[in-house]
Amino acid sequence: MSDSVAGSRLLQGRKALVMGVVNDLSIAWGIAANLAAHGAIVGFAYQPHPKIERRCRACVGQLDPKPEFIEPCDVGKDEDIQQLMARWKEVHGRLDILVHSIAFAPATAFGVPVLKTSREDYLQALDISSYSLVALCREAAPLMQPGGSVIAMTYNASQAYFPNYNVMAVAKAALECCVRYLAAELGGGKKEDAQGVRVNAISAGPIPTMASKAVGDIDRMVEHHSAKNCLGRPVDQDEVGRTAVYLASELSSGVTGEIVYVDAGYRFIGW
Ligand SMILES: NC(=O)c1ccc[n+]([C@@H]2O[C@H](COP(=O)([O-])OP(=O)(O)OC[C@H]3O[C@@H](n4cnc5c(N)ncnc54)[C@H](O)[C@@H]3O)[C@@H](O)[C@H]2O)c1
C-alpha cells in the first residue's frame, strides 16, 4: 500500500464484510487491506471449498489485528447468505460496508461466443456474478444504517465488445443495472423507512488474478491496456482498494448508483 494515503483513519470503527478473497492477488484483498489501513474492522466470507478456505485464511491472517470473522458462504445458496448475515449480526451487530468481489462462469462458457452459450451456463454465470449482489443486499439491508456503503466489482466488457469475455460481459451488464436499482431502493429517497445506504461499483482495468486468468489472455489484455490507456501502465489491486476507501467513506457521501472506473482512462481512448 502506498504510504502517502495509508493511516488517515477515514473508516475508524466502521464494520466491513469483504467477500471474494482467495489469495493475495485477489482484488478483494487489495480492498480489505486498504479498508483496514483506514481503521475499518474487516471480516471475511470465503467460497466454501477446503483449498479456498486455506488460501483465504492464510491471506487475511496477514492483517494486524487478525480478523475475528472468517466464515463460509456460497453466494449461489440463499441459506448460506442468510446464515452469514445472522452470524455477522451475532458477532458485529451492524454492518457498515459490504464488498462484493465475486464472479464465476463455468469453464464450458469461456471461449464460447455468447451465441453458443448454453442456457445452463448463462444462468449460472448470471446467478453467481450478478444475482448474488441482490440476494446479499436483501439480507444485509436490515443490518445497515444510513451512511452504509455497498461496493461491487465490474469490468468494461459490460459496455464494449471484448472477444474473450462473452457471457461474463452479459453478467457484468446485469450487475451494473442491479447497482443502479439497488442504489435507488436502498437509498430510499423520501420514504419514511429510507435506509440511506449507497450502492456503487468499481470498474477496474485488467489485473492478473485467479479469476482473470480463467477468462484467458490476461497478459495480452494487460499489455494492450497499458499501451493504450492515459497513464501507459497497468492498474493494480491497491489502486482499486484506495478507490474503495473513497466509496466506503463519507468522502463519497453524495455518490450512489455509480460505476467508478479505475482503468487509467482506457475506456475513452478511441485511437
Ligand atoms: N482481475 C480483473 O482483471 C478484473 C477486472 C475487473 C473486474 N474484476 C472483478 O473483480 C472481482 C474479483 O475478481 P478477482 O479478479 O479479484 O479474482 P479472484 O479469483 O481473486 O476472486 C474471485 C472470487 O470469487 C469467489 N467466488 C466464485 N464463486 C463463488 C461462490 N459461488 N460463492 C462465493 N464466492 C465465490 C472466489 O472464491 C474468489 O474469491 C470479480 O467480480 C471480477 O469480475 C476483475
Side-chain angles (χ1 to χ4, degrees):
M1 177 175 328
S2 106
D3 291 340
S4 59
V5 290
S8 74
R9 317 309 282 178
L10 268 171
L11 301 172
Q12 189 63 42
R14 305 272 283 162
K15 296 177 178 180
L17 172 59
V18 175
M19 305 186 67
V21 176
V22 61
N23 57 32
D24 59 10
L25 293 178
S26 292
I27 291 176
W29 173 241
I31 295 175
N34 273 281
L35 297 180
H38 287 270
I41 299 156
V42 187
F44 297 88
Y46 58 86
Q47 183 180 4
H49 182 285
K51 215 176 190 175
I52 295 178
E53 176 177 0
R54 217 171 31 248
R55 287 177 176 175
C56 175
R57 284 185 184 278
C59 180
V60 306
Q62 297 172 61
L63 283 181
D64 182 19
K66 285 195 193 316
E68 230 184 289
F69 189 97
I70 311 175
E71 296 285 333
C73 178
D74 179 344
V75 298
K77 295 182 178 160
D78 286 336
E79 59 276 20
D80 276 30
I81 294 176
Q82 283 154 8
Q83 269 169 29
L84 174 72
M85 294 304 169
R87 183 87 189 103
W88 183 273
K89 192 176 173 190
E90 255 172 52
V91 176
H92 283 303
R94 64 167 212 278
L95 176 65
D96 300 311
I97 301 159
L98 174 65
V99 176
H100 176 287
S101 187
I102 290 173
F104 175 79
T108 44
F110 285 119
V112 177
V114 170
L115 190 63
K116 293 192 175 163
T117 303
S118 71
R119 190 182 299 269
E120 203 185 344
D121 287 355
Y122 185 105
L123 291 177
Q124 198 179 4
L126 272 278
D127 181 19
I128 304 300
S129 312
S130 2
Y131 179 75
S132 62
L133 179 68
V134 176
L136 280 163
C137 281
R138 189 165 51 240
E139 296 302 324
L143 309 184
M144 298 187 84
Q145 294 166 357
S149 173
V150 177
I151 303 168
M153 285 303 309
T154 188
Y155 183 61
N156 194 35
S158 60
Q159 309 295 316
Y161 175 67
F162 287 76
N164 51 350
Y165 230 68
N166 306 320
V167 73
M168 189 54 80
V170 181
K172 291 302 188 193
L175 180 80
E176 290 177 16
C177 191
C178 289
V179 163
R180 290 185 282 274
Y181 273 76
L182 292 167
E185 292 167 10
L186 292 177
K190 292 195 170 64
K191 287 185 205 136
E192 253 174 45
D193 60 348
Q195 273 222 265
V197 170
R198 298 180 296 108
V199 185
N200 293 286
I202 299 174
S203 185
I207 299 173
T209 62
M210 212 165 92
S212 65
K213 284 177 189 160
V215 176
D217 265 351
I218 182 66
D219 294 337
R220 272 184 59 217
M221 280 175 82
V222 171
E223 206 177 299
H224 168 76
H225 186 268
S226 306
K228 193 178 152 191
N229 74 35
C230 299
L231 300 179
R233 62 162 179 80
V235 294
D236 64 23
Q237 292 86 339
D238 188 41
E239 290 177 303
V240 175
R242 298 204 300 270
T243 298
V245 170
Y246 157 72
L247 287 175
S249 75
E250 278 296 294
L251 290 180
S252 61
S253 59
V255 179
T256 193
E258 288 295 336
I259 310 302
V260 179
Y261 284 81
V262 180
D263 71 340
Y266 174 90
R267 78 192 174 287
F268 61 75
I269 300 289
W271 180 251

